[in-house]
Amino acid sequence: MVPIGCRNAASLRPAPPIAGFTLVELVVVCVILGVLGAIALPRFIDTAGEARFSKMSYMYSSFHTGTQLAHSFWTARGQLPAGVMTVQGQLVPIAHHWPTPIGALNMLNAGNPPPFVPILSATELEIHESAERPQCRFIYRPPIADGTGPEYVNEVTRANCAN
């Protein structure tokens, strides 16, 4: 006979352990996630700088190609070293068979002008990404004599376009 208040012998066995994670396992997972976050987070934080770099790289490539095409078109038509051509409704002055600084700026402004900060002088055109980042830029200097080409200075780098 079983005394009152006692259960059968099977109930005296310890209960099976509850499934779960130990504190050590949880700490290891937190450390791994922290290390991954420390490595990956800076990569995603400067996406704006990467976007500025991409925008200015594309603009420089388009600008360079556009001035080369204007020169080729002007030369192929047998034009005089100086004159004016029209590109998408914009007047582009030509000197020494190449677009002048104002002509190059007009070519950039053809169609829908992207946001940029131009600095124009008689001898060169500087295109800055913004006033806050003047080092993220490229420069166009047209030739000063027939038979020579323009000078392109590309200062568009990830470092120059970063925050």
Side-chain angles (χ1 to χ4, degrees), residues 71 95-98 142-151:
H71 167 70
H96 307 293
H97 297 282
W98 289 90
I144 56 173
D146 288 341
T148 61
E151 178 185 1

Side-chain angles (χ1 to χ4, degrees), residues 45-68:
I45 286 176
D46 193 29
T47 54
E50 191 65 28
R52 283 189 294 275
F53 169 73
S54 296
K55 175 185 81 171
M56 289 298 288
S57 293
Y58 171 76
M59 190 182 304
Y60 173 75
S61 296
S62 298
F63 176 82
H64 189 274
T65 302
T67 55
Q68 295 285 334

Side-chain angles (χ1 to χ4, degrees), residues 26 62 103 127 145-146 154 162:
L26 291 174
S62 298
I127 300 296
D146 288 341
N154 184 3

Side-chain angles (χ1 to χ4, degrees), residues 79-90:
Q79 301 290 344
L80 296 173
V84 177
M85 67 186 294
T86 303
V87 175
Q88 293 185 347
Q90 297 283 332

Side-chain angles (χ1 to χ4, degrees), residues 147-162:
T148 61
E151 178 185 1
Y152 297 92
V153 180
N154 184 3
E155 296 179 0
V156 177
T157 63
R158 282 184 170 81
N160 286 349
C161 296

Side-chain angles (χ1 to χ4, degrees), residues 116-132:
F116 57 84
V117 178
I119 298 176
L120 183 65
S121 73
T123 58
E124 69 181 24
L125 171 65
E126 287 187 33
I127 300 296
H128 296 258
E129 189 274 329
S130 68
E132 294 82 29

Side-chain angles (χ1 to χ4, degrees), residues 130-147:
S130 68
E132 294 82 29
R133 278 173 281 302
Q135 71 279 10
C136 184
R137 68 182 181 164
F138 60 87
I139 302 169
Y140 171 73
R141 295 183 183 112
I144 56 173
D146 288 341

